[in-house]
Amino acid sequence: GSLPPWISDLTFDNVLIERSVIALVKILETMGKLSEGQETGGSSRMLHKGAPTSGVEQKQGSFHFLGIRNSPGLKSKGLWNSFIDLIGRVGRPKMHPGLRPLGSLRCLDLSGNDLGDEICAKLLDVIHSRESR
C-alpha cells in the first residue's frame, strides 16, 4: 500500500499499536524504494498494483510533518530504531535521499510516547548528524 504523492502531513494521535507502526515502517520503506527508482530512472515507475505511470513521473510522498503522538504502549526499542532509520543513520556513508523516506521532514512530533533517554538520544543524534542531511 501507498499514499497519494500529494499527502505531506500525517498525524496519528493515540491510534497506533506496535503492529501498526511496523506496517507503517514497511510502507514508508517501500515508498522510499519507489522514489529511488523514479529518481534514477529505474523501472519502479508505478503508481500502485503494477499500473505504470505511462511516462508521467509521479514521485512518492515526501513528508514535511509526521506526528505519532500519545501512544505510550509503543515500548519496543527495535520498533523505534526501525522508525528512526527512516530519517537517517549515524556513522554510515550518506544514504541516497530516496532511501530515507522521512529525510524531508521539517517537523516530527513524538510527544506522549514515553520514548526514554536512549531512543531520544538516538533520534537527536540522527537529526543533528551530517550524514542524515
Side-chain angles (χ1 to χ4, degrees), residues 3 9 37-38 52 61 64 73 79 81 87 90 93 100 104 117 121 128:
L3 294 170
D9 298 5
Q38 290 171 356
H64 301 278
L79 173 80
N81 284 329
I87 299 169
V90 176
R100 294 182 298 123
S104 62
D117 292 343
H128 292 289

Side-chain angles (χ1 to χ4, degrees), residues 9-98:
D9 298 5
L10 285 174
T11 300
F12 301 96
D13 195 344
N14 196 22
V15 295
L16 296 179
I17 58 174
E18 194 165 321
R19 188 175 68 220
S20 305
V21 177
I22 291 168
L24 179 62
V25 166
K26 288 181 182 180
I27 289 169
L28 291 170
E29 286 172 343
T30 300
M31 289 173 66
K33 290 174 186 172
L34 289 172
S35 292
E36 163 70 8
Q38 290 171 356
E39 290 172 11
T40 62
S43 60
S44 305
R45 292 183 191 170
M46 305 212 176
L47 289 175
H48 18 67
K49 302 222 184 211
T53 61
S54 42
V56 178
E57 281 195 37
Q58 188 156 356
K59 187 169 173 65
Q60 294 295 313
S62 177
F63 294 100
H64 301 278
F65 175 86
L66 180 65
I68 298 178
R69 306 186 312 204
N70 301 314
S71 300
L74 302 174
K75 299 268 185 211
S76 168
K77 287 181 183 175
L79 173 80
W80 287 112
N81 284 329
S82 296
F83 177 79
I84 292 168
D85 285 348
L86 295 173
I87 299 169
R89 296 183 182 128
V90 176
R92 297 183 187 175
K94 189 170 182 165
M95 298 169 60
H96 188 282

Side-chain angles (χ1 to χ4, degrees), residues 100-120:
R100 294 182 298 123
L102 296 182
S104 62
L105 279 179
R106 297 294 170 247
C107 185
L108 176 64
D109 183 356
L110 298 176
S111 61
N113 288 316
D114 195 22
L115 296 177
D117 292 343
E118 185 179 337
I119 296 298
C120 288

